[in-house]
Amino acid sequence: MRRVVITGTGMVSPLGCGTEITWSRLLEGRSGAARVTAFEVEDLPAKIACSIPLGDGSDGTYNADQWMEPKEQRKVDPFIVYAVAAADMALADAGWHPKTDEDQTATGVLIGSGIGGLEGIVEGGYTLRDKGPRRISPFFIPGRLINLASGHVSIKHKLRGPNHSVVTACSTGAHAIGDASRLIALGDADVMVAGGAESPICRIALAGFAACKALSTARNDDPTAASRPYDRDRDGFVMGEGAGVVVLEELEHAKARGAKIYAEVVGYGLSGDAFHITAPSEDGDGAYRCMTMALKRAGISASDVDYINAHGTSTMADTIELGAVERLVGDAAPRISMSSTKSAIGHLLGAAGAVEAIFAALAIRDNIAPPTLNLDNPDVETAIDLVPHKARKREINVALSNSFGFGGTNASLVLKRYA
Amino acid sequence: MSDIAERVKKIVIDHLGVDAEKVSEGASFIDDLGADSLDTVELVMAFEEEFGVEIPDDAADSILTVGDAVKFIEKAQA
């Protein structure tokens, strides 16, 4: 199969608009969590979230008008605008702006979302109930559909190759990058714009995830301490929002045009828990098989993994993932660093796997493991370095990124330094 | 310009994001103001909402310009 490398990245995250600003703030140990002020939260169990910093576009703020005309924004849910913004940044970073028919048809898009336009569906429901079917906008459907993130990116940049999307809850972003890499490896495209986007910070999503007992509700008055993966006092995840998009490229194609290469995508694993709709099985079997498959594809031994960007949501499942990793790496545990960046940016659901894969690529580029914030008292003893509180400089040549979703859907990506 | 015409013009400017001076009586939504077929459906819905009139589908198909909309609404409200 053909080799695939990452040649561009873009993101909109709770730490800022842009890959580098997010990365530098992440390494500084900053948290994106705060009390929600955009809408009423008094009656919600979880009143905090990691929201994107809004502004005029300066100092890492996100200004939607820079990425999509206001009249077009009105027709779509925010996850689509986030995706367009992240894709614009990734393509600019890669320096890939296909103009010829050949280049345009060789470039595809595969951006997913876990839930899609939830808020717009709620509003549409109110309109239908209060005003009747004649008042449902012609943009109601195309503004909500998950694959319209890929659609808008394709239309804006005239990318006429494979146009696809993924919907696998919190594994979406990782599956998108993995599947897109496969399309390149198999020769169906030379370049893929891939990732995930999510805009779930709204009343119905906060209510719904709280009902699943998935959200942190104990630290509404101390938001930055709420996301605390592996800590014994964790009580659920903090909702995040945003998008992560990478430009994936066939190695020779990237080399021929002198593109900068972040890392090579060498492994991709997928598995199903076949256990429960929201909980992983206690033995972490799904996670273990998923990581094993990814490493096998990569031809890399578990003992050669340097850094793991964990799924680590700050829920009870953290220790199940940790157990699966311990089983995977065995005696190599002491040489492995594993952190959860959700401690800083919250859980971006369908965007999480994409944003975290970018962090894994940057960990390789800069030889540094981003920290797990708020890890004051580890819930279990482990020989693995969980990178508490502070980023750790260390050699990182191989990084693994895990994503596990509701429904028992798992994805692992293995990235390797390109040399 | 009549009150109806002013209100129609404002809706067109808001929905299509076009400059006010482009929104003349004879301006075609699709040919002159950059609308697509979905935009025109939404425009007709906005006219219905603003003026409390019902614009049946076959009538909507014949509303192609700003002037067409104004004429239809004036007649419907007469």
Side-chain angles (χ1 to χ4, degrees):
Chain A
M1 290 209 295
R2 307 197 303 169
R3 294 169 70 181
V4 181
V5 292
I6 299 172
T7 56
T9 71
M11 69 170 70
V12 182
S13 91
L15 288 179
C17 181
T19 297
E20 299 301 335
I21 189 102
T22 296
W23 180 238
S24 65
R25 288 172 176 172
L26 184 73
L27 296 179
E28 285 167 18
R30 285 168 63 167
S31 164
R35 192 174 175 97
V36 173
T37 54
F39 49 86
E40 180 61 54
V41 291
E42 211 42 61
D43 58 348
L44 294 171
K47 307 177 201 304
I48 58 175
C50 292
S51 304
I52 291 167
L54 304 179
D56 62 3
S58 63
D59 192 32
T61 56
Y62 170 75
N63 176 5
D65 295 354
Q66 288 182 331
W67 311 103
M68 190 182 279
E69 296 261 341
K71 76 176 173 80
E72 298 300 324
Q73 285 172 42
R74 205 170 47 75
K75 301 172 186 170
V76 301
D77 271 285
F79 80 97
I80 291 176
V81 193
Y82 299 163
V84 167
D88 278 18
M89 288 182 244
L91 285 161
D93 185 38
W96 183 242
H97 305 287
K99 297 279 185 286
T100 66
D101 186 62
E102 188 187 354
D103 286 348
Q104 289 174 350
T105 52
T107 307
V109 189
L110 206 172
I111 299 173
S113 181
I115 310 181
L118 201 46
E119 198 165 11
I121 292 172
V122 170
E123 293 300 322
Y126 290 148
T127 301
L128 180 65
R129 183 193 64 191
D130 298 337
K131 296 180 176 177
R134 285 183 59 84
R135 287 290 171 270
I136 295 293
S137 163
F139 301 108
F140 173 70
I141 297 295
R144 317 279 90 79
L145 292 180
I146 283 176
N147 72 296
L148 264 279
S150 290
H152 277 271
V153 170
S154 155
I155 292 163
K156 184 168 183 178
H157 296 281
K158 304 219 175 340
L159 310 180
R160 297 156 63 217
N163 197 270
H164 197 4
S165 192
V166 171
V167 183
T168 49
C170 307
S171 296
T172 297
H175 274 138
I177 291 173
D179 289 354
S181 298
R182 289 272 159 92
L183 290 174
I184 295 172
L186 292 170
D188 297 315
D190 291 330
V191 182
M192 288 294 295
V193 179
E198 201 78 68
S199 52
I201 304 180
C202 58
R203 279 174 60 78
I204 195 162
L206 286 177
F209 278 97
C212 293
K213 304 292 177 199
L215 295 180
S216 170
T217 56
R219 290 183 182 78
N220 286 323
D221 296 322
D222 191 9
T224 61
S227 185
R228 41 195 320 113
Y230 317 111
D231 189 81
R232 73 171 182 221
D233 297 320
R234 69 195 185 280
D235 77 314
F237 77 77
V238 176
M239 187 82 84
E241 63 174 344
V245 171
V246 295
V247 173
L248 299 165
E249 194 163 345
E250 193 270 325
L251 176 62
E252 298 306 323
H253 189 277
K255 280 162 68 180
R257 64 184 192 91
K260 136 188 93 181
I261 294 175
Y262 283 87
E264 181 173 356
V265 182
V266 288
Y268 173 40
L270 316 80
S271 73
D273 283 348
F275 177 69
H276 185 265
I277 53 169
T278 61
S281 63
E282 283 292 329
D283 60 6
D285 172 65
Y288 175 80
R289 287 185 291 108
C290 182
M291 291 185 283
T292 302
M293 184 194 285
L295 287 171
K296 184 181 172 195
R297 173 66 63 189
I300 287 174
S301 148
S303 60
D304 287 329
V305 174
D306 299 301
Y307 171 67
I308 298 175
N309 188 297
H311 184 59
T313 54
S314 184
T315 61
M316 298 329 284
D318 294 357
T319 47
I320 296 175
E321 179 186 14
L322 182 56
V325 169
E326 286 176 326
R327 183 179 159 205
L328 179 81
V329 302
D331 294 342
R335 64 171 298 279
I336 288 170
S337 294
M338 163 162 145
S339 62
S340 169
T341 45
K342 290 186 179 78
S343 60
I345 62 170
H347 193 352
L348 274 61
L349 307 182
V355 166
E356 291 164 13
I358 294 172
F359 291 157
L362 297 173
I364 291 171
R365 183 191 70 180
D366 295 346
N367 282 307
I368 190 165
T372 303
L373 305 185
N374 301 312
L375 179 50
D376 297 334
N377 302 292
D379 193 16
V380 293
E381 273 191 39
T382 178
I384 293 171
D385 164 33
L386 296 175
V387 203
H389 305 299
K390 279 190 164 40
R392 182 168 335 280
K393 284 292 286 180
R394 55 156 294 164
E395 187 178 8
I396 299 177
N397 293 309
V398 176
L400 187 151
S401 185
N402 279 337
S403 295
F404 311 133
F406 279 4
T409 173
N410 310 305
S412 296
L413 294 168
V414 181
L415 307 183
K416 187 180 174 191
R417 179 182 304 282
Y418 174 73
Chain B
M1 215 180 250
S2 70
D3 169 57
I4 287 174
E6 280 300 331
R7 286 155 69 194
V8 165
K9 196 172 158 182
K10 185 173 183 313
I11 288 169
V12 172
I13 292 166
D14 287 349
H15 279 258
L16 301 183
V18 289
D19 293 334
E21 59 262 31
K22 279 188 162 180
V23 188
S24 62
E25 195 88 2
S28 156
F29 300 130
I30 290 177
D31 296 335
D32 302 318
L33 302 176
D36 64 19
S37 60
L38 296 182
D39 288 318
T40 60
V41 173
E42 199 183 48
L43 268 181
V44 166
M45 286 171 55
F47 297 146
E48 289 185 327
E49 182 108 1
E50 170 74 15
F51 297 101
V53 297
E54 188 168 323
I55 306 177
D57 287 351
D58 55 343
D61 290 345
S62 64
I63 298 177
L64 305 176
T65 67
V66 176
D68 291 342
V70 172
K71 260 178 246 150
F72 182 92
I73 293 159
E74 281 174 346
K75 210 169 141 193
Q77 289 193 331

